[in-house]
Amino acid sequence: MKKSASRPARIGFLDSGVGGLTVLQEALKLMPDEDYLFYADTGHVPYGEKTKEEVRGYVLEAADYIAGQGVKALVVACNTATSIAVDELRRRYDFPVLGIEPAVKPAVLREEGSRRKVLVLATALTLREEKYHRLVETVDPGERVDSLALPGLVRLAENFEFGEERVTAYLREAFEGVNCEAYGTVVLGCTHFPYFQQVLQRWFGPGVALISGGPGTARNLRRILESAGRRHEGTGRIDFCASGRDAEGSRNFGDWLDRLNRIR
Ligand code: DGL
């Protein structure tokens, strides 16, 4: 297909911070030839500790900025933002808007017939939202899904604190009183959590599956672009932008992507 100058070829990605890079990494594996615009709303991170109204405002503002830059699709690479605003964003723009939600359904299917349970790790706001409760009610008639908010992992990832000792100390505190042996599948329902994939795997043990929605979202994005005839339009360029203190380009997002590429 012929490219026209007025037709945006970039794919927008939005998160409260560096979590969205775990989804961008999956998209890059499938589509290294596309161009991306990654927006981190670091002036307002963490979304998971804010009210629904606050997060709605931040997400609309960030998404309007991205839309204004010109994109052919927008990936809301944040479970919290998706649960609050994805429906509204879909009505607002004429390009496809994809979201990400905790992969509860595949987790429940994986434990079908087993005696072990599913644990969903996400932000407090995602877990409070009606969208999450409806999802669990639909896919989990046997009531085998538990959930836990881990705000400390968002903070650690934002501060580039990945040292095993520091992270394990936080997990010890966060999982106090939780019988981790009850779980066979753990859902990483926040895009910041895949940074801790290895340490979480060691925490839960090798027999426990950790699943996240990133790979599925990236496949979905590819499918949507293919069916619209809009694949292979870029050169593999990634532009990063952020709000707040990082707006001047002070944060090097490449460091986080390098970190991810070393562990996954
Ligand atoms: N990365 C986000 C998510 O997937 C939100 C983290 C936060 O800002 O609290 O939910």
Side-chain angles (χ1 to χ4, degrees):
M1 188 185 287
K2 223 174 93 190
K3 275 193 224 171
S4 95
S6 59
R7 228 172 154 218
R10 285 197 291 188
I11 302 163
F13 270 69
L14 160 62
D15 182 41
S16 60
V18 294
L21 295 175
T22 65
V23 187
L24 177 64
Q25 183 201 26
E26 300 295 343
L28 286 167
K29 285 184 202 163
L30 294 184
M31 296 171 285
D33 54 348
E34 294 288 346
D35 290 342
Y36 299 90
L37 172 65
F38 183 88
Y39 184 98
D41 193 9
T42 49
H44 300 119
V45 68
Y47 282 177
E49 306 299 292
K50 308 252 172 7
T51 66
K52 181 177 178 160
E53 290 69 30
E54 285 172 314
V55 171
R56 177 181 168 270
Y58 299 148
V59 174
L60 292 185
E61 194 183 324
D64 279 352
Y65 174 79
I66 296 170
Q69 300 297 303
V71 288
K72 63 179 172 181
L74 172 64
V75 178
V76 183
C78 173
N79 293 262
T80 313
T82 298
S83 71
I84 301 297
V86 79
D87 297 331
E88 194 170 351
L89 296 179
R90 287 191 178 123
R91 291 191 297 271
R92 200 171 173 96
Y93 307 119
D94 59 2
F95 46 76
V97 177
L98 289 84
I100 184 166
E101 60 180 13
V104 184
K105 190 174 176 181
V108 170
L109 286 175
R110 210 182 157 272
E111 291 307 323
E112 220 169 44
S114 96
R115 301 161 78 102
R116 296 201 294 180
K117 297 169 78 185
V118 168
L119 179 63
V120 179
L121 305 175
T123 68
L125 186 51
T126 297
L127 296 175
R128 262 202 323 270
E129 270 308 287
E130 202 192 314
K131 202 174 179 101
Y132 174 72
H133 291 283
R134 262 189 281 128
L135 172 67
V136 173
E137 271 163 35
T138 322
V139 303
D140 177 36
E143 293 185 8
R144 39 199 311 159
V145 176
D146 294 335
S147 62
L148 185 71
L150 293 180
L153 290 188
V154 176
R155 272 195 297 276
L156 290 168
E158 288 298 317
N159 295 334
F160 207 85
E161 286 189 71
F162 296 114
E164 178 124 12
E165 246 175 65
R166 176 80 186 80
V167 178
T168 309
Y170 171 68
L171 294 181
R172 219 173 283 126
E173 189 185 301
F175 284 107
E176 179 150 19
V178 176
N179 174 17
C180 289
E181 288 178 7
Y183 302 104
T185 304
V186 174
V187 176
L188 306 185
C190 168
T191 56
H192 281 74
F193 296 172
Y195 285 101
F196 305 98
Q197 176 116 12
Q198 291 179 334
V199 56
L200 284 166
Q201 191 71 68
R202 279 192 281 277
W203 178 267
F204 283 99
V208 172
L210 303 183
I211 55 178
S212 55
T217 300
R219 283 195 299 274
N220 230 347
L221 174 63
R222 182 177 59 182
R223 188 181 48 75
I224 286 170
L225 294 178
E226 275 167 359
S227 60
R230 306 243 16 218
R231 273 281 290 126
H232 308 294
E233 289 182 331
T235 58
R237 179 190 163 111
I238 312 172
D239 292 311
F240 294 103
C241 50
S243 60
R245 270 192 301 139
D246 297 322
E248 303 89 49
S250 46
R251 196 188 274 232
N252 185 4
F253 290 96
D255 289 346
W256 277 265
L257 266 182
D258 288 346
R259 162 95 205 160
L260 283 172
N261 288 331
R262 277 202 302 277
I263 64 161
R264 311 191 320 143

